[in-house]
Amino acid sequence: MERVTEAIGILPAPEVTDYHEMVELQMLRSRCADALSLEEELTNAKMLVYAAAEFSKDAKLQDDVKQYLAPVMPEEV
Protein backbone atom coordinates (compact mmCIF):
# COMPACT_ATOMS: atom_id res chain seq x y z
CA MET A 1 0.00 0.00 0.00
CA GLU A 2 2.85 2.38 0.80
CA ARG A 3 4.44 1.80 -2.62
CA VAL A 4 1.16 2.49 -4.41
CA THR A 5 0.70 5.71 -2.44
CA GLU A 6 4.28 6.73 -3.34
CA ALA A 7 3.61 6.02 -7.03
CA ILE A 8 0.49 8.17 -6.95
CA GLY A 9 2.49 10.95 -5.33
CA ILE A 10 5.00 11.08 -8.17
CA LEU A 11 2.44 11.41 -10.97
CA PRO A 12 2.92 14.57 -13.01
CA ALA A 13 0.75 17.62 -12.45
CA PRO A 14 -2.97 17.00 -13.12
CA GLU A 15 -2.93 18.94 -16.38
CA VAL A 16 -0.45 16.47 -17.92
CA THR A 17 -1.38 13.29 -16.06
CA ASP A 18 -2.45 10.27 -18.06
CA TYR A 19 -5.90 9.48 -16.67
CA HIS A 20 -5.53 5.82 -17.65
CA GLU A 21 -2.42 5.58 -15.48
CA MET A 22 -4.19 7.35 -12.62
CA VAL A 23 -7.16 4.96 -12.86
CA GLU A 24 -4.86 1.92 -12.87
CA LEU A 25 -2.96 3.13 -9.80
CA GLN A 26 -6.16 3.90 -7.92
CA MET A 27 -7.57 0.47 -8.84
CA LEU A 28 -4.40 -1.11 -7.48
CA ARG A 29 -4.76 1.02 -4.36
CA SER A 30 -8.35 -0.15 -3.94
CA ARG A 31 -7.33 -3.81 -4.27
CA CYS A 32 -4.61 -3.30 -1.65
CA ALA A 33 -7.03 -1.54 0.69
CA ASP A 34 -9.56 -4.33 0.22
CA ALA A 35 -6.95 -7.00 0.98
CA LEU A 36 -5.89 -5.09 4.10
CA SER A 37 -9.51 -4.40 5.16
CA LEU A 38 -8.97 -0.63 5.08
CA GLU A 39 -12.54 0.48 4.39
CA GLU A 40 -11.94 4.25 4.35
CA GLU A 41 -8.93 3.84 2.04
CA LEU A 42 -10.97 1.52 -0.21
CA THR A 43 -13.83 4.01 -0.48
CA ASN A 44 -11.45 6.87 -1.19
CA ALA A 45 -9.61 4.92 -3.91
CA LYS A 46 -12.84 3.91 -5.64
CA MET A 47 -14.08 7.49 -5.54
CA LEU A 48 -10.84 8.63 -7.20
CA VAL A 49 -11.09 5.88 -9.83
CA TYR A 50 -14.51 7.20 -10.77
CA ALA A 51 -13.42 10.84 -10.69
CA ALA A 52 -10.34 10.24 -12.86
CA ALA A 53 -12.42 8.43 -15.46
CA GLU A 54 -15.02 11.20 -15.51
CA PHE A 55 -12.39 13.94 -15.87
CA SER A 56 -10.68 12.01 -18.67
CA LYS A 57 -13.65 12.47 -21.04
CA ASP A 58 -12.67 9.05 -22.47
CA ALA A 59 -15.89 7.07 -23.01
CA LYS A 60 -14.12 3.68 -23.05
CA LEU A 61 -12.30 4.40 -19.81
CA GLN A 62 -15.55 5.57 -18.23
CA ASP A 63 -17.28 2.34 -19.30
CA ASP A 64 -14.41 0.22 -17.95
CA VAL A 65 -14.59 2.04 -14.62
CA LYS A 66 -18.37 1.66 -14.42
CA GLN A 67 -17.98 -2.11 -14.82
CA TYR A 68 -15.29 -2.17 -12.13
CA LEU A 69 -17.40 -0.12 -9.71
CA ALA A 70 -20.78 -1.70 -10.55
CA PRO A 71 -20.94 -3.90 -7.43
CA VAL A 72 -20.55 -0.87 -5.10
CA MET A 73 -22.17 1.97 -7.01
CA PRO A 74 -25.85 2.86 -7.43
CA GLU A 75 -27.61 1.64 -10.57
CA GLU A 76 -27.44 5.05 -12.33
CA VAL A 77 -23.62 4.96 -12.48
PDB file of all heavy atoms in Angstrom, residues 2-8 12 17 25 28 31 33 38-40 44 46 54 57 60 63 65-66 68-70 74-75:
ATOM      1  N   GLU A   2       1.950   1.228   0.763  1.00  0.00           N
ATOM      2  CA  GLU A   2       2.852   2.384   0.801  1.00  0.00           C
ATOM      3  C   GLU A   2       3.459   2.666  -0.567  1.00  0.00           C
ATOM      4  O   GLU A   2       3.562   3.823  -0.978  1.00  0.00           O
ATOM      5  CB  GLU A   2       3.966   2.155   1.823  1.00  0.00           C
ATOM      6  CG  GLU A   2       3.485   2.178   3.256  1.00  0.00           C
ATOM      7  CD  GLU A   2       4.591   1.859   4.247  1.00  0.00           C
ATOM      8  OE1 GLU A   2       5.778   2.078   3.922  1.00  0.00           O
ATOM      9  OE2 GLU A   2       4.254   1.384   5.329  1.00  0.00           O
ATOM     10  N   ARG A   3       3.836   1.632  -1.290  1.00  0.00           N
ATOM     11  CA  ARG A   3       4.440   1.802  -2.623  1.00  0.00           C
ATOM     12  C   ARG A   3       3.434   2.389  -3.609  1.00  0.00           C
ATOM     13  O   ARG A   3       3.785   3.229  -4.439  1.00  0.00           O
ATOM     14  CB  ARG A   3       4.963   0.475  -3.160  1.00  0.00           C
ATOM     15  CG  ARG A   3       6.091  -0.085  -2.350  1.00  0.00           C
ATOM     16  CD  ARG A   3       7.339   0.662  -2.630  1.00  0.00           C
ATOM     17  NE  ARG A   3       8.455  -0.060  -2.042  1.00  0.00           N
ATOM     18  CZ  ARG A   3       9.648   0.410  -1.951  1.00  0.00           C
ATOM     19  NH1 ARG A   3       9.920   1.603  -2.432  1.00  0.00           N
ATOM     20  NH2 ARG A   3      10.602  -0.281  -1.406  1.00  0.00           N
ATOM     21  N   VAL A   4       2.197   1.958  -3.526  1.00  0.00           N
ATOM     22  CA  VAL A   4       1.157   2.492  -4.412  1.00  0.00           C
ATOM     23  C   VAL A   4       0.952   3.971  -4.116  1.00  0.00           C
ATOM     24  O   VAL A   4       0.873   4.797  -5.028  1.00  0.00           O
ATOM     25  CB  VAL A   4      -0.161   1.711  -4.254  1.00  0.00           C
ATOM     26  CG1 VAL A   4      -1.272   2.366  -5.054  1.00  0.00           C
ATOM     27  CG2 VAL A   4       0.018   0.263  -4.678  1.00  0.00           C
ATOM     28  N   THR A   5       0.881   4.314  -2.840  1.00  0.00           N
ATOM     29  CA  THR A   5       0.704   5.712  -2.444  1.00  0.00           C
ATOM     30  C   THR A   5       1.881   6.558  -2.925  1.00  0.00           C
ATOM     31  O   THR A   5       1.693   7.679  -3.404  1.00  0.00           O
ATOM     32  CB  THR A   5       0.543   5.816  -0.912  1.00  0.00           C
ATOM     33  OG1 THR A   5      -0.557   4.997  -0.516  1.00  0.00           O
ATOM     34  CG2 THR A   5       0.273   7.235  -0.479  1.00  0.00           C
ATOM     35  N   GLU A   6       3.093   6.019  -2.839  1.00  0.00           N
ATOM     36  CA  GLU A   6       4.277   6.732  -3.338  1.00  0.00           C
ATOM     37  C   GLU A   6       4.173   6.939  -4.852  1.00  0.00           C
ATOM     38  O   GLU A   6       4.489   8.014  -5.363  1.00  0.00           O
ATOM     39  CB  GLU A   6       5.547   5.950  -3.023  1.00  0.00           C
ATOM     40  CG  GLU A   6       5.942   5.971  -1.566  1.00  0.00           C
ATOM     41  CD  GLU A   6       7.132   5.063  -1.278  1.00  0.00           C
ATOM     42  OE1 GLU A   6       7.861   4.684  -2.220  1.00  0.00           O
ATOM     43  OE2 GLU A   6       7.326   4.735  -0.094  1.00  0.00           O
ATOM     44  N   ALA A   7       3.736   5.914  -5.569  1.00  0.00           N
ATOM     45  CA  ALA A   7       3.611   6.019  -7.028  1.00  0.00           C
ATOM     46  C   ALA A   7       2.596   7.090  -7.413  1.00  0.00           C
ATOM     47  O   ALA A   7       2.816   7.867  -8.334  1.00  0.00           O
ATOM     48  CB  ALA A   7       3.200   4.669  -7.621  1.00  0.00           C
ATOM     49  N   ILE A   8       1.502   7.150  -6.686  1.00  0.00           N
ATOM     50  CA  ILE A   8       0.487   8.168  -6.954  1.00  0.00           C
ATOM     51  C   ILE A   8       1.063   9.553  -6.706  1.00  0.00           C
ATOM     52  O   ILE A   8       0.806  10.489  -7.453  1.00  0.00           O
ATOM     53  CB  ILE A   8      -0.772   7.916  -6.098  1.00  0.00           C
ATOM     54  CG1 ILE A   8      -1.463   6.635  -6.578  1.00  0.00           C
ATOM     55  CG2 ILE A   8      -1.723   9.105  -6.146  1.00  0.00           C
ATOM     56  CD1 ILE A   8      -2.522   6.107  -5.640  1.00  0.00           C
ATOM     57  N   PRO A  12       2.761  13.175 -12.608  1.00  0.00           N
ATOM     58  CA  PRO A  12       2.919  14.575 -13.015  1.00  0.00           C
ATOM     59  C   PRO A  12       1.717  15.417 -12.595  1.00  0.00           C
ATOM     60  O   PRO A  12       0.703  14.887 -12.143  1.00  0.00           O
ATOM     61  CB  PRO A  12       2.999  14.497 -14.539  1.00  0.00           C
ATOM     62  CG  PRO A  12       3.234  13.073 -14.868  1.00  0.00           C
ATOM     63  CD  PRO A  12       2.747  12.261 -13.714  1.00  0.00           C
ATOM     64  N   THR A  17      -1.275  14.673 -16.524  1.00  0.00           N
ATOM     65  CA  THR A  17      -1.384  13.293 -16.062  1.00  0.00           C
ATOM     66  C   THR A  17      -2.187  12.450 -17.045  1.00  0.00           C
ATOM     67  O   THR A  17      -3.196  12.885 -17.572  1.00  0.00           O
ATOM     68  CB  THR A  17      -2.059  13.239 -14.676  1.00  0.00           C
ATOM     69  OG1 THR A  17      -1.226  13.909 -13.746  1.00  0.00           O
ATOM     70  CG2 THR A  17      -2.274  11.818 -14.208  1.00  0.00           C
ATOM     71  N   LEU A  25      -3.565   3.038 -11.131  1.00  0.00           N
ATOM     72  CA  LEU A  25      -2.961   3.129  -9.805  1.00  0.00           C
ATOM     73  C   LEU A  25      -4.016   3.151  -8.703  1.00  0.00           C
ATOM     74  O   LEU A  25      -3.848   2.509  -7.663  1.00  0.00           O
ATOM     75  CB  LEU A  25      -2.066   4.367  -9.699  1.00  0.00           C
ATOM     76  CG  LEU A  25      -0.706   4.240 -10.354  1.00  0.00           C
ATOM     77  CD1 LEU A  25      -0.015   5.603 -10.412  1.00  0.00           C
ATOM     78  CD2 LEU A  25       0.162   3.240  -9.611  1.00  0.00           C
ATOM     79  N   LEU A  28      -5.364  -0.326  -8.257  1.00  0.00           N
ATOM     80  CA  LEU A  28      -4.399  -1.105  -7.485  1.00  0.00           C
ATOM     81  C   LEU A  28      -4.493  -0.735  -6.004  1.00  0.00           C
ATOM     82  O   LEU A  28      -4.495  -1.603  -5.137  1.00  0.00           O
ATOM     83  CB  LEU A  28      -2.982  -0.873  -8.011  1.00  0.00           C
ATOM     84  CG  LEU A  28      -1.861  -1.606  -7.286  1.00  0.00           C
ATOM     85  CD1 LEU A  28      -2.085  -3.112  -7.298  1.00  0.00           C
ATOM     86  CD2 LEU A  28      -0.523  -1.253  -7.909  1.00  0.00           C
ATOM     87  N   ARG A  31      -7.532  -2.380  -4.524  1.00  0.00           N
ATOM     88  CA  ARG A  31      -7.331  -3.810  -4.268  1.00  0.00           C
ATOM     89  C   ARG A  31      -6.469  -4.030  -3.025  1.00  0.00           C
ATOM     90  O   ARG A  31      -6.742  -4.934  -2.229  1.00  0.00           O
ATOM     91  CB  ARG A  31      -6.727  -4.488  -5.496  1.00  0.00           C
ATOM     92  CG  ARG A  31      -7.718  -4.607  -6.644  1.00  0.00           C
ATOM     93  CD  ARG A  31      -7.232  -5.512  -7.757  1.00  0.00           C
ATOM     94  NE  ARG A  31      -6.013  -5.049  -8.410  1.00  0.00           N
ATOM     95  CZ  ARG A  31      -5.985  -4.238  -9.455  1.00  0.00           C
ATOM     96  NH1 ARG A  31      -7.102  -3.783  -9.977  1.00  0.00           N
ATOM     97  NH2 ARG A  31      -4.838  -3.893 -10.000  1.00  0.00           N
ATOM     98  N   ALA A  33      -6.207  -1.930  -0.450  1.00  0.00           N
ATOM     99  CA  ALA A  33      -7.033  -1.544   0.694  1.00  0.00           C
ATOM    100  C   ALA A  33      -8.034  -2.638   1.023  1.00  0.00           C
ATOM    101  O   ALA A  33      -8.267  -2.940   2.204  1.00  0.00           O
ATOM    102  CB  ALA A  33      -7.739  -0.229   0.404  1.00  0.00           C
ATOM    103  N   LEU A  38      -9.004  -2.058   4.779  1.00  0.00           N
ATOM    104  CA  LEU A  38      -8.966  -0.630   5.083  1.00  0.00           C
ATOM    105  C   LEU A  38     -10.145   0.031   4.369  1.00  0.00           C
ATOM    106  O   LEU A  38     -10.022   0.516   3.243  1.00  0.00           O
ATOM    107  CB  LEU A  38      -7.632  -0.022   4.632  1.00  0.00           C
ATOM    108  CG  LEU A  38      -6.378  -0.617   5.261  1.00  0.00           C
ATOM    109  CD1 LEU A  38      -5.130  -0.069   4.592  1.00  0.00           C
ATOM    110  CD2 LEU A  38      -6.362  -0.344   6.756  1.00  0.00           C
ATOM    111  N   GLU A  39     -11.294   0.031   5.025  1.00  0.00           N
ATOM    112  CA  GLU A  39     -12.535   0.477   4.393  1.00  0.00           C
ATOM    113  C   GLU A  39     -12.500   1.931   3.922  1.00  0.00           C
ATOM    114  O   GLU A  39     -12.942   2.240   2.819  1.00  0.00           O
ATOM    115  CB  GLU A  39     -13.716   0.260   5.339  1.00  0.00           C
ATOM    116  CG  GLU A  39     -14.050  -1.197   5.567  1.00  0.00           C
ATOM    117  CD  GLU A  39     -14.385  -1.941   4.286  1.00  0.00           C
ATOM    118  OE1 GLU A  39     -15.105  -1.393   3.432  1.00  0.00           O
ATOM    119  OE2 GLU A  39     -13.902  -3.086   4.146  1.00  0.00           O
ATOM    120  N   GLU A  40     -11.988   2.839   4.741  1.00  0.00           N
ATOM    121  CA  GLU A  40     -11.943   4.248   4.349  1.00  0.00           C
ATOM    122  C   GLU A  40     -11.024   4.444   3.146  1.00  0.00           C
ATOM    123  O   GLU A  40     -11.345   5.173   2.204  1.00  0.00           O
ATOM    124  CB  GLU A  40     -11.481   5.120   5.511  1.00  0.00           C
ATOM    125  CG  GLU A  40     -11.559   6.596   5.218  1.00  0.00           C
ATOM    126  CD  GLU A  40     -11.232   7.457   6.432  1.00  0.00           C
ATOM    127  OE1 GLU A  40     -11.454   7.014   7.563  1.00  0.00           O
ATOM    128  OE2 GLU A  40     -10.746   8.576   6.212  1.00  0.00           O
ATOM    129  N   ASN A  44     -12.145   5.726  -0.607  1.00  0.00           N
ATOM    130  CA  ASN A  44     -11.449   6.870  -1.190  1.00  0.00           C
ATOM    131  C   ASN A  44     -10.860   6.504  -2.553  1.00  0.00           C
ATOM    132  O   ASN A  44     -10.985   7.256  -3.525  1.00  0.00           O
ATOM    133  CB  ASN A  44     -10.361   7.347  -0.223  1.00  0.00           C
ATOM    134  CG  ASN A  44      -9.751   8.658  -0.624  1.00  0.00           C
ATOM    135  OD1 ASN A  44      -9.903   9.120  -1.742  1.00  0.00           O
ATOM    136  ND2 ASN A  44      -9.038   9.267   0.302  1.00  0.00           N
ATOM    137  N   LYS A  46     -11.791   4.127  -4.650  1.00  0.00           N
ATOM    138  CA  LYS A  46     -12.841   3.909  -5.639  1.00  0.00           C
ATOM    139  C   LYS A  46     -13.447   5.232  -6.096  1.00  0.00           C
ATOM    140  O   LYS A  46     -13.773   5.399  -7.273  1.00  0.00           O
ATOM    141  CB  LYS A  46     -13.903   2.969  -5.088  1.00  0.00           C
ATOM    142  CG  LYS A  46     -13.389   1.540  -5.019  1.00  0.00           C
ATOM    143  CD  LYS A  46     -14.447   0.570  -4.630  1.00  0.00           C
ATOM    144  CE  LYS A  46     -13.880  -0.849  -4.696  1.00  0.00           C
ATOM    145  NZ  LYS A  46     -14.918  -1.852  -4.516  1.00  0.00           N
ATOM    146  N   GLU A  54     -14.107  10.136 -15.091  1.00  0.00           N
ATOM    147  CA  GLU A  54     -15.019  11.204 -15.513  1.00  0.00           C
ATOM    148  C   GLU A  54     -14.253  12.403 -16.069  1.00  0.00           C
ATOM    149  O   GLU A  54     -14.630  12.964 -17.090  1.00  0.00           O
ATOM    150  CB  GLU A  54     -15.909  11.638 -14.342  1.00  0.00           C
ATOM    151  CG  GLU A  54     -16.997  10.645 -14.006  1.00  0.00           C
ATOM    152  CD  GLU A  54     -17.962  10.393 -15.151  1.00  0.00           C
ATOM    153  OE1 GLU A  54     -18.496  11.373 -15.714  1.00  0.00           O
ATOM    154  OE2 GLU A  54     -18.178   9.215 -15.481  1.00  0.00           O
ATOM    155  N   LYS A  57     -12.777  12.288 -19.865  1.00  0.00           N
ATOM    156  CA  LYS A  57     -13.649  12.468 -21.039  1.00  0.00           C
ATOM    157  C   LYS A  57     -13.468  11.343 -22.064  1.00  0.00           C
ATOM    158  O   LYS A  57     -13.809  11.476 -23.227  1.00  0.00           O
ATOM    159  CB  LYS A  57     -13.428  13.825 -21.728  1.00  0.00           C
ATOM    160  CG  LYS A  57     -13.577  15.007 -20.815  1.00  0.00           C
ATOM    161  CD  LYS A  57     -14.988  15.159 -20.328  1.00  0.00           C
ATOM    162  CE  LYS A  57     -15.102  16.450 -19.539  1.00  0.00           C
ATOM    163  NZ  LYS A  57     -16.103  16.419 -18.536  1.00  0.00           N
ATOM    164  N   LYS A  60     -14.510   5.075 -23.322  1.00  0.00           N
ATOM    165  CA  LYS A  60     -14.123   3.684 -23.054  1.00  0.00           C
ATOM    166  C   LYS A  60     -13.620   3.526 -21.621  1.00  0.00           C
ATOM    167  O   LYS A  60     -13.984   2.581 -20.927  1.00  0.00           O
ATOM    168  CB  LYS A  60     -13.067   3.203 -24.037  1.00  0.00           C
ATOM    169  CG  LYS A  60     -12.692   1.746 -23.781  1.00  0.00           C
ATOM    170  CD  LYS A  60     -11.757   1.194 -24.794  1.00  0.00           C
ATOM    171  CE  LYS A  60     -11.314  -0.231 -24.557  1.00  0.00           C
ATOM    172  NZ  LYS A  60     -11.636  -0.901 -23.348  1.00  0.00           N
ATOM    173  N   ASP A  63     -16.552   3.607 -19.290  1.00  0.00           N
ATOM    174  CA  ASP A  63     -17.281   2.335 -19.301  1.00  0.00           C
ATOM    175  C   ASP A  63     -16.534   1.265 -18.512  1.00  0.00           C
ATOM    176  O   ASP A  63     -17.146   0.503 -17.755  1.00  0.00           O
ATOM    177  CB  ASP A  63     -17.514   1.847 -20.729  1.00  0.00           C
ATOM    178  CG  ASP A  63     -18.588   2.637 -21.461  1.00  0.00           C
ATOM    179  OD1 ASP A  63     -19.378   3.344 -20.789  1.00  0.00           O
ATOM    180  OD2 ASP A  63     -18.623   2.560 -22.699  1.00  0.00           O
ATOM    181  N   VAL A  65     -14.494   1.707 -16.048  1.00  0.00           N
ATOM    182  CA  VAL A  65     -14.587   2.044 -14.624  1.00  0.00           C
ATOM    183  C   VAL A  65     -15.976   1.711 -14.084  1.00  0.00           C
ATOM    184  O   VAL A  65     -16.109   1.185 -12.979  1.00  0.00           O
ATOM    185  CB  VAL A  65     -14.224   3.530 -14.389  1.00  0.00           C
ATOM    186  CG1 VAL A  65     -14.656   4.004 -13.027  1.00  0.00           C
ATOM    187  CG2 VAL A  65     -12.725   3.724 -14.573  1.00  0.00           C
ATOM    188  N   LYS A  66     -17.005   1.985 -14.868  1.00  0.00           N
ATOM    189  CA  LYS A  66     -18.367   1.665 -14.418  1.00  0.00           C
ATOM    190  C   LYS A  66     -18.514   0.169 -14.167  1.00  0.00           C
ATOM    191  O   LYS A  66     -19.143  -0.241 -13.196  1.00  0.00           O
ATOM    192  CB  LYS A  66     -19.391   2.152 -15.434  1.00  0.00           C
ATOM    193  CG  LYS A  66     -19.576   3.649 -15.391  1.00  0.00           C
ATOM    194  CD  LYS A  66     -20.579   4.113 -16.416  1.00  0.00           C
ATOM    195  CE  LYS A  66     -20.645   5.627 -16.427  1.00  0.00           C
ATOM    196  NZ  LYS A  66     -21.538   6.137 -17.460  1.00  0.00           N
ATOM    197  N   TYR A  68     -16.102  -1.878 -13.316  1.00  0.00           N
ATOM    198  CA  TYR A  68     -15.293  -2.168 -12.132  1.00  0.00           C
ATOM    199  C   TYR A  68     -16.033  -1.781 -10.854  1.00  0.00           C
ATOM    200  O   TYR A  68     -15.987  -2.488  -9.858  1.00  0.00           O
ATOM    201  CB  TYR A  68     -13.960  -1.411 -12.232  1.00  0.00           C
ATOM    202  CG  TYR A  68     -13.092  -1.519 -11.011  1.00  0.00           C
ATOM    203  CD1 TYR A  68     -12.387  -2.692 -10.734  1.00  0.00           C
ATOM    204  CD2 TYR A  68     -12.947  -0.453 -10.135  1.00  0.00           C
ATOM    205  CE1 TYR A  68     -11.580  -2.793  -9.610  1.00  0.00           C
ATOM    206  CE2 TYR A  68     -12.139  -0.545  -9.011  1.00  0.00           C
ATOM    207  CZ  TYR A  68     -11.461  -1.713  -8.760  1.00  0.00           C
ATOM    208  OH  TYR A  68     -10.668  -1.809  -7.647  1.00  0.00           O
ATOM    209  N   LEU A  69     -16.726  -0.636 -10.890  1.00  0.00           N
ATOM    210  CA  LEU A  69     -17.399  -0.124  -9.707  1.00  0.00           C
ATOM    211  C   LEU A  69     -18.839  -0.614  -9.574  1.00  0.00           C
ATOM    212  O   LEU A  69     -19.473  -0.370  -8.550  1.00  0.00           O
ATOM    213  CB  LEU A  69     -17.384   1.402  -9.713  1.00  0.00           C
ATOM    214  CG  LEU A  69     -16.009   2.051  -9.636  1.00  0.00           C
ATOM    215  CD1 LEU A  69     -16.136   3.556  -9.745  1.00  0.00           C
ATOM    216  CD2 LEU A  69     -15.291   1.665  -8.355  1.00  0.00           C
ATOM    217  N   ALA A  70     -19.383  -1.295 -10.555  1.00  0.00           N
ATOM    218  CA  ALA A  70     -20.781  -1.705 -10.554  1.00  0.00           C
ATOM    219  C   ALA A  70     -21.240  -2.368  -9.256  1.00  0.00           C
ATOM    220  O   ALA A  70     -22.325  -2.055  -8.778  1.00  0.00           O
ATOM    221  CB  ALA A  70     -21.063  -2.599 -11.759  1.00  0.00           C
ATOM    222  N   PRO A  74     -24.419   2.905  -7.112  1.00  0.00           N
ATOM    223  CA  PRO A  74     -25.852   2.859  -7.432  1.00  0.00           C
ATOM    224  C   PRO A  74     -26.075   2.518  -8.907  1.00  0.00           C
ATOM    225  O   PRO A  74     -25.183   2.698  -9.731  1.00  0.00           O
ATOM    226  CB  PRO A  74     -26.334   4.278  -7.137  1.00  0.00           C
ATOM    227  CG  PRO A  74     -25.267   4.912  -6.319  1.00  0.00           C
ATOM    228  CD  PRO A  74     -23.984   4.191  -6.613  1.00  0.00           C
ATOM    229  N   GLU A  75     -27.261   2.080  -9.222  1.00  0.00           N
ATOM    230  CA  GLU A  75     -27.608   1.642 -10.573  1.00  0.00           C
ATOM    231  C   GLU A  75     -27.377   2.710 -11.641  1.00  0.00           C
ATOM    232  O   GLU A  75     -27.013   2.410 -12.768  1.00  0.00           O
ATOM    233  CB  GLU A  75     -29.064   1.201 -10.602  1.00  0.00           C
ATOM    234  CG  GLU A  75     -29.450   0.471 -11.863  1.00  0.00           C
ATOM    235  CD  GLU A  75     -28.717  -0.843 -12.047  1.00  0.00           C
ATOM    236  OE1 GLU A  75     -28.411  -1.521 -11.049  1.00  0.00           O
ATOM    237  OE2 GLU A  75     -28.415  -1.191 -13.201  1.00  0.00           O
TER     238      GLU A  75
END
